[in-house]
Amino acid sequence: MLCVANTRKALFTAKPILGYRQEQNVNPDSQTETFVALRLFIDDWRWADVPVYMRVGKRLPKSATEISIHFKKAPAVLFNKDLRDLNVLVIRIQPDEGISLRIHAKVPGTSFRIEPVKMDFHYGTSFGKPSPEAYERLLLDAMSGDATLFARADEVEQAWAFIDPIEEAWHAKKDAPELYFYPAGSWGPEAADDLLARDGRAWRRL
Amino acid sequence: MICSLATAARGEDYKPVMPAAAETYSLGAPVEIGKIEHELKKLWQEGEGAMTRASLMNLAVYSEEPGSLQNNTQLMAKITEDHACRAIVIEADCNADDDLVSAWISAHCHVSSVGSKQVCSEQISFLLKGGCTTQLPSIILSNLDSDLPLYLWWQEEFREPMDPQLWTWVDRVIYDSHGWSDFRSQIRLLELMQEEANQRIVLCDLNWTRLDNLRFALAQFFDHPASHHRLAKISKARIDFAPGFRSTAILFIGWLGAQLNWHIEEVKSSGELRFIGASAGHIDVELRERDGEPVHEVALTSGDVEFRVTYAHCGDLLEVSRIQNDETRIPQLMPAGNSDPVGLISEELIRGGPHHVYLNALNCVRDLL
């Protein structure tokens, strides 16, 4: 079961491209959120105390769907004492499907310094042909009656069962949480950074 | 486009086999802003031969100097020989009436020292017109190579507003303080940004990097424990600097002051400085403007001994000599390093971690800069 520990919602403002409230046919006082940052926990013993951070938003600098697993910091680091970044395993869902592992490696030569390096696997280049676009495969499956890759009704219902209480709380007339604003083209409001900073963490550089 | 064997900029008329010819560098193929990643991928898919795309960092270069895009592309071609990176080169014309962003992609390929494999670094070039400060964060943030540090080489003076949306993502900001018209206001802006970014940004001053070899040359006199007592007896220092490099000379004095626990006591009307040392002795510092290297001679007097570091006539070596009772020992030679922009940046990129010694030196002479 997923529990919502902390959430942040926000709405992007104009800078330098149009903000949501400046778009045509949008209410200039709209309270519809365009960005969400969540801190989640999974309520079982295996995932106990492992925070899952999620962010999704419109008009961010890049379009990317990724899952990243951040490894714990080693208790003692022989080289750079001020090392802040962790080793990260990234599963890229789209675009540029693939997997990359960021590790810290000692710089060759006499220097006693470690720097982040990436090992990258790209579907597009490794197999010599690009993956089909998301809807290419789904449309083909729909035509051939193969439901393997489609979300089942019970899965969709579970997803809404999770989201609905959050939505209701956000839009409640009383005690609705504050709506934060962020410039279009940025990585969201400062409140989203604070959400991680409180735990001594920061969002990945995408 | 013609490229050298060692360095090749890949662009619209790129040919995988490069002829040996004069070094000219192109910005590469023009691309639509929204399709940069896609076009970069195509660039690698179309490339032939043994090529490896390499990247250890994002190196963004920002300048408002007209023509800097070409100049910085040329610098990048040389810098990427030793420092594989994703280069984001930006020229901004902030006074243009209309907002316009043009972009190009290219790659700098260098034959590695082992075998025939080429190691290539990507370059994305931007020409910004109009609202520079508003466009800059999204231009940089949307074109970073993910998970790699961001080094921002800011070639102009800093000015407000400094957008925290950008600066909080910067790991190292590289600048050259020797050209600053108002040192204090510039450093104040940087420190404000550092605060906003929770001290994450490392300040890298090329004006300080310029002093590296001089500092090493002077410090080696005192490597041996038997010479340590000379440090406490320093009574005079003289620094000869080239016109326009007073701040470089002051930083050098700041280094001595911070390391030896000197404090400024007096700034004389002649421009000479008087410090008070850790053992309450006075140190008189003479700064002389002379033509030559940015800081071309440094001399410390301790008792009856003078420790002198000066540029050798051949230019890329330092002569270090110890003079006692007017008798000069045979000078030794030490490397002077390369103080052109490529040399300074390369030196800076080799180093990691915060520059504590620089910050201490800066704090020691902050009021003089």
Side-chain angles (χ1 to χ4, degrees):
Chain A
M1 189 180 87
L2 287 170
C3 314
V4 180
N6 297 87
T7 67
R8 288 285 182 271
K9 60 173 184 170
L11 174 65
F12 71 80
T13 54
K15 189 195 165 191
I17 35 183
L18 278 187
Y20 180 64
R21 284 174 165 182
Q22 285 77 43
E23 294 277 7
Q24 267 191 339
N25 304 322
V26 172
N27 177 0
D29 298 320
S30 171
Q31 294 289 308
T32 304
E33 61 278 355
T34 55
F35 178 98
V36 175
L38 305 165
R39 178 170 172 257
L40 310 163
F41 285 94
I42 300 170
D43 189 14
D44 73 12
W45 67 268
R46 190 184 297 275
W47 291 93
D49 296 333
V50 177
V52 178
Y53 301 97
M54 194 184 289
R55 66 178 163 170
V56 58
K58 290 184 182 296
R59 284 278 164 84
L60 304 183
K62 270 186 185 176
S63 174
T65 309
E66 298 186 353
I67 299 166
S68 61
I69 297 151
H70 297 241
F71 295 95
K72 279 185 180 170
K73 199 171 179 175
V77 180
L78 185 60
F79 299 112
N80 313 20
K81 298 284 183 219
D82 58 330
L83 194 67
R84 286 170 295 212
D85 297 324
L86 306 169
N87 294 339
V88 180
L89 175 68
V90 179
I91 302 162
R92 288 191 304 272
I93 295 165
Q94 68 155 342
D96 190 22
E97 297 86 341
I99 295 172
S100 74
L101 181 63
R102 182 185 71 183
I103 54 171
H104 287 79
K106 186 192 163 297
V107 176
T110 53
S111 155
F112 287 107
R113 198 159 58 86
I114 52 176
E115 288 291 329
V117 289
K118 276 202 306 185
M119 290 199 289
D120 251 342
F121 159 65
H122 299 265
Y123 266 100
T125 49
S126 298
F127 289 97
K129 55 182 180 182
S131 301
E133 293 292 329
Y135 287 104
E136 268 182 70
R137 175 74 194 275
L138 286 181
L139 288 172
L140 181 68
D141 286 351
M143 285 188 276
S144 57
D146 182 353
T148 310
L149 297 180
F150 286 82
R152 252 177 28 191
D154 53 350
E155 181 189 339
V156 175
E157 278 166 14
Q158 279 298 314
W160 278 109
F162 168 64
I163 289 293
D164 268 345
I166 303 172
E167 277 278 303
E168 278 166 23
W170 277 350
H171 296 116
K173 294 228 166 106
K174 275 187 185 172
D175 302 326
E178 192 182 346
L179 185 63
Y180 298 92
F181 294 86
Y182 65 100
S186 73
W187 280 114
E190 274 180 42
D193 298 335
D194 297 342
L195 184 69
L196 268 75
R198 283 206 303 263
D199 300 342
R201 298 186 171 92
W203 295 105
R204 263 179 67 228
R205 178 180 290 119
L206 285 169
Chain B
M1 184 184 63
I2 306 165
C3 302
S4 71
L5 253 185
T7 305
R10 292 181 55 195
E12 51 200 327
D13 45 4
Y14 164 75
K15 299 283 184 295
V17 180
M18 301 297 169
E23 288 179 285
T24 55
Y25 302 94
S26 149
L27 295 179
V31 288
E32 276 182 53
I33 302 295
K35 292 187 175 171
I36 290 174
E37 283 293 337
H38 181 73
E39 292 297 325
L40 278 172
K41 243 179 270 167
K42 263 171 60 183
L43 191 73
W44 298 114
Q45 282 165 3
E46 287 164 8
E48 293 169 21
M51 283 191 301
T52 304
R53 183 180 77 95
S55 185
L56 275 174
M57 71 193 99
N58 295 284
L59 178 56
V61 187
Y62 176 82
S63 174
E64 292 172 15
E65 187 77 25
S68 63
L69 214 47
Q70 274 77 15
N71 295 341
N72 283 327
T73 299
Q74 211 156 339
L75 292 183
M76 281 299 161
K78 294 197 175 90
I79 291 165
T80 51
E81 280 180 29
D82 293 319
H83 306 281
C85 62
R86 172 176 280 195
I88 302 171
V89 180
I90 301 163
E91 178 184 325
D93 174 6
C94 302
N95 299 319
D97 295 331
D98 299 321
D99 288 0
L100 182 74
V101 183
S102 314
W104 296 263
I105 55 166
S106 59
H108 300 291
C109 296
H110 307 278
V111 178
S112 66
S113 53
V114 282
S116 59
K117 192 182 260 188
Q118 289 191 83
V119 178
C120 301
S121 293
E122 298 165 332
Q123 177 174 320
I124 312 170
S125 313
F126 292 97
L127 182 61
L128 303 188
K129 292 192 172 184
C132 304
T133 48
T134 50
Q135 291 171 0
L136 193 61
S138 60
I139 288 287
I140 293 181
L141 296 181
S142 56
N143 290 289
L144 295 178
D145 198 345
S146 60
D147 292 312
L148 294 178
L150 168 58
Y151 294 3
L152 177 56
W153 181 10
W154 195 272
Q155 296 180 329
E156 308 298 319
E157 294 207 359
F158 299 100
R159 63 164 178 240
E160 291 181 282
M162 308 261 284
D163 193 328
Q165 288 285 350
L166 168 66
W167 291 91
T168 47
W169 289 102
V170 174
D171 292 278
R172 303 175 84 81
V173 56
I174 303 169
Y175 53 91
D176 192 342
S177 67
H178 114 262
W180 286 353
S181 52
D182 183 348
F183 195 99
R184 281 187 226 178
S185 70
Q186 290 290 298
I187 209 75
R188 200 178 315 121
L189 273 177
L190 270 175
E191 285 171 346
L192 271 176
M193 266 308 103
Q194 234 190 349
E195 265 175 47
E196 290 250 10
N198 299 323
Q199 308 298 322
R200 186 186 162 87
I201 307 174
V202 175
L203 306 185
C204 308
D205 188 351
L206 297 182
N207 206 18
W208 174 252
T209 314
R210 200 170 269 125
L211 293 170
D212 281 358
N213 287 281
L214 268 170
R215 293 192 295 117
F216 299 149
L218 191 65
Q220 58 83 34
F221 283 119
F222 307 98
D223 279 347
H224 197 282
S227 59
H228 285 182
H229 70 283
R230 294 271 175 202
L231 289 170
K233 292 181 189 164
I234 293 172
S235 56
K236 275 187 200 166
R238 176 173 50 77
I239 298 180
D240 292 352
F241 63 93
F245 287 91
R246 190 172 191 277
S247 63
T248 320
I250 296 277
L251 275 178
F252 193 90
I253 283 295
W255 169 64
L256 287 171
Q259 298 302 105
L260 300 174
N261 204 13
W262 297 353
H263 300 281
I264 300 169
E265 190 180 67
E266 187 184 352
V267 180
K268 297 181 182 172
S269 54
S270 59
E272 286 182 21
L273 311 170
R274 172 165 273 201
F275 285 79
I276 186 156
S279 54
H282 286 112
I283 304 105
D284 290 315
V285 177
E286 185 185 5
L287 298 170
R288 300 193 308 191
E289 192 173 300
R290 299 274 193 279
D291 287 332
E293 298 291 332
V295 173
H296 51 101
E297 186 165 295
V298 176
L300 293 183
T301 305
S302 173
D304 56 351
V305 180
E306 185 183 80
F307 300 96
R308 190 184 296 173
V309 179
T310 186
Y311 267 81
H313 293 298
C314 53
D316 58 353
L317 289 170
L318 293 170
E319 269 182 22
V320 293
S321 46
R322 185 176 186 276
I323 304 160
Q324 189 161 17
N325 300 324
D326 292 333
E327 286 177 24
T328 311
R329 287 195 188 175
I330 298 168
Q332 293 180 325
L333 295 175
M334 291 187 71
N338 192 348
S339 61
D340 65 19
V342 174
L344 292 176
I345 280 284
S346 295
E347 189 66 34
E348 192 52 60
L349 296 180
I350 287 169
R351 290 165 188 281
H355 289 315
H356 293 305
V357 180
Y358 165 66
L359 296 175
N360 291 341
L362 189 65
N363 284 332
C364 182
V365 288
R366 187 176 284 259
D367 295 335
L368 303 173
L369 286 160

